[in-house]
């Protein structure tokens, strides 16, 4: 007995995720090819404190080394043709740490943004913040806002700094935004939620890297990571340089992404 056409749900996940061709090479030189390079890479920068303890240093020195690691990584990301780089710099859960550490992290962020904005603009890097900016100290908020304005014309790479960020908080804020805009319940679908997130208008991360050996998302991009490739490395964040990034990109290039097909 014949069957009629298959009735598919109208609100099924979109088919916008184009399955890339299988990688044809495994050398770093080929990673600049669009078919092999992830468009959006997100990194959970873990291991700063362990790096410092292992060297008998104060934990804040580990965070300072972690900030230094970002400089070289940004240049290499531009070289590799990555369009969007998202760095998990400070989670809302990090507020539970000691006051001195939290204050030190804010001070490091302010200094890094202030000192690097000119160079980021020269490299064509545009900065975007993911998180609740209004909850940050005034000085930190002012530094971030100035960098957002000064790098607005960057077109080589979009750098998302997830600061005072939490994935569940992002979803709460998205729902609040939809309710405030008067969206009807029947009009709420994946596209509506996606458009209300901090990352609205950006592609979902193709590759999520976590340094430091842990294997969890830690409340990071939990909506956007539905089809992300996940890569973990034992390398602590301050030691994560261009070669370590290339290792992650090579592993990504070897994988075949099917998106449920």
């Amino acid at each position: 007995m014949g069957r009629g056409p298959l009735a598919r749900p109208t609100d099924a996940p979109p088919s916008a995720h184009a399955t890339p061709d299988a990688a044809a090479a495994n050398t770093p030189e080929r990673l600049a090819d669009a078919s092999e390079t992830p468009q959006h890479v997100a990194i959970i920068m873990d291991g700063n404190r362990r790096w410092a303890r292992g060297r008998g240093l104060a934990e804040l020195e580990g965070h300072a080394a972690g900030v230094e690691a970002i400089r070289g990584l940004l240049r290499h990301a531009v070289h590799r043709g990555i369009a969007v780089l998202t760095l998990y710099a400070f989670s809302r859960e990090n507020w539970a740490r000691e006051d001195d550490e939290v204050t030190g992290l804010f001070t490091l962020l302010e200094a890094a943004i202030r000192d690097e904005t000119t160079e980021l603009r020269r490299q064509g890097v545009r900065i975007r913040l993911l998180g609740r900016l209004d909850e940050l100290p005034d000085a930190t908020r002012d530094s971030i806002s100035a960098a957002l304005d000064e790098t607005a014309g960057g077109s080589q790479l979009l750098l998302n700094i997830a600061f005072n960020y939490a994935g569940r908080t992002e979803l709460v804020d998205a729902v609040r935004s939809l309710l405030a805009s008067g969206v009807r319940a029947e009009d709420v679908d994946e596209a509506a939620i996606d458009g209300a997130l901090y990352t609205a208008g950006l592609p979902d991360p193709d590759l999520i890297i976590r340094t430091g050996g842990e294997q969890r998302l830690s409340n990071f991009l939990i909506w956007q990571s539905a089809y992300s490739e996940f890569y973990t490395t034992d390398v602590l964040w301050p030691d994560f340089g261009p070669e370590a990034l290339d290792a992650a990109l090579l592993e990504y290039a070897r994988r075949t992404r099917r998106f449920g097909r």
Side-chain angles (χ1 to χ4, degrees):
M1 184 175 179
R3 295 183 178 178
L6 181 64
R8 300 180 185 273
T10 58
D11 63 345
S15 58
H17 304 287
T19 304
D21 295 333
N26 293 323
T27 61
E29 289 73 19
R30 293 295 304 279
L31 286 173
D33 294 347
S35 63
E36 298 171 357
T37 301
Q39 184 179 13
H40 182 177
V41 175
I43 306 179
I44 301 170
M45 305 182 295
D46 196 10
N48 290 342
R49 295 191 294 180
R50 281 177 283 160
W51 184 90
R53 291 169 191 154
R55 289 163 173 75
L57 302 173
E59 291 182 349
L60 193 58
E61 292 190 55
H63 292 306
V67 170
E68 185 64 31
I70 295 173
R71 293 186 174 96
L73 194 72
L74 278 176
R75 288 191 292 270
H76 197 61
V78 172
H79 173 66
R80 287 292 179 225
I82 295 169
V84 183
L85 181 66
T86 299
L87 302 179
Y88 201 7
F90 185 86
S91 73
R92 295 191 81 233
E93 288 85 355
N94 289 155
W95 285 102
R97 296 183 179 181
E98 296 294 330
D99 286 357
D100 287 348
E101 183 177 359
V102 174
T103 301
L105 283 167
F106 290 153
T107 301
L108 282 172
L109 178 70
E110 293 161 27
I113 290 178
R114 182 176 60 252
D115 296 343
E116 296 299 320
T117 296
T118 299
E119 176 62 18
L120 292 174
R121 187 174 63 244
R122 188 191 68 78
Q123 293 183 45
V125 176
R126 175 189 171 197
I127 298 177
R128 178 169 174 173
L129 183 85
L130 309 182
R132 287 185 173 176
L133 185 60
D134 61 296
E135 294 179 344
L136 298 176
D138 291 344
T140 306
R141 187 168 59 248
D142 291 345
S143 292
I144 292 174
S145 297
L148 297 181
D149 292 340
E150 290 188 39
T151 64
S155 59
Q156 290 298 309
L157 181 142
L158 174 60
L159 172 62
N160 293 316
I161 300 176
F163 201 87
N164 197 30
Y165 173 89
R168 290 183 175 181
T169 300
E170 180 178 22
L171 289 172
V172 168
D173 288 348
V175 171
R176 288 177 176 175
S177 176
L178 290 172
L179 291 174
S181 67
V183 174
R184 300 178 304 168
E186 58 267 31
D187 293 329
V188 176
D189 55 14
E190 290 191 19
I193 294 173
D194 198 65
L197 297 173
Y198 303 149
T199 55
L202 300 181
D204 289 342
D206 303 295
L207 174 65
I208 296 180
I209 300 169
R210 180 162 189 154
T211 64
E214 301 293 347
Q215 300 188 44
R216 57 179 176 272
L217 283 173
S218 295
N219 206 8
F220 181 54
L221 300 178
I222 53 179
W223 172 277
Q224 299 90 334
S225 64
Y227 280 101
S228 302
E229 295 295 319
F230 195 44
Y231 174 90
T232 61
T233 174
D234 290 333
V235 176
L236 301 177
W237 173 249
D239 294 327
F240 191 88
E243 290 185 2
L245 177 59
D246 278 347
L249 297 178
L250 285 170
E251 174 59 26
Y252 172 85
R254 294 186 184 109
R255 298 182 186 180
T256 300
R257 308 178 74 199
R258 296 185 176 88
F259 303 103
R261 292 180 176 85

